[in-house]
Amino acid sequence: MTLAIDPRAELSRKHRKVARFATVAALASLGMGFAAVPLYRMFCQATGYGGTTMRVSADTKTVPVAGKLMSIRFDSNVTPGMPWDFYPEHKTDTVTVGARDMAIFIARNMSDKPITGTATFNVTPEEAGAYFSKIQCFCFTQQTLKPGEEIRMPVLYFVDPKILNDPDAKKIQEITLSYTFYPVEQDAKQR
């Protein structure tokens, strides 16, 4: 005696299998969508890709290279409509490669309301990102300024001497560190 297989039951089983696979794929895609930004940021910070600077701890040993100087240019921006003045205290600095240095950025809230902002940064040329090491920075930290309030924000950094041995980067004579301040989302919704 042979058992007959119901073609509709077999088709229904295949449809459930495809539906489970599609659900798993959709959930995995959703998860990757949420993870993409932090994973990309970690990748850039680890490699210096896209002009992302390297982060180092305050106890990192630095060794200045006598006679090897680098010009650092500081750039500052705010997104359109954000009522802040934001600028570097000094637009350029000449540093010894390997020596720690500090730049000061100043922000002032020009509005009549408290505004919270956060800054992102990049380094150009991109090849320099892997060698521009920040020890302390205000980036990715929310800064709330009351109406008319002004703050000074330090950036402690050094240019890693390894830049001198990289064939793609050793001819770099000027590095630009650029920051852009954005309003934090709840403040952007209030305007």
Side-chain angles (χ1 to χ4, degrees), residues 7 69 76 101 128 148 165:
L69 301 177
S76 59
D101 208 333
N165 300 321

Side-chain angles (χ1 to χ4, degrees), residues 82 84 109 113-118 141-146 181-188 190-191:
M82 184 169 183
W84 280 17
N109 181 353
K113 298 180 212 165
I115 304 285
T116 301
T118 187
T141 303
Q142 293 184 4
Q143 308 289 335
T144 301
L145 299 180
K146 296 174 188 161
F181 253 103
Y182 298 87
V184 172
E185 200 57 39
Q186 70 263 15
D187 287 335
Q190 292 174 0
R191 283 186 254 138

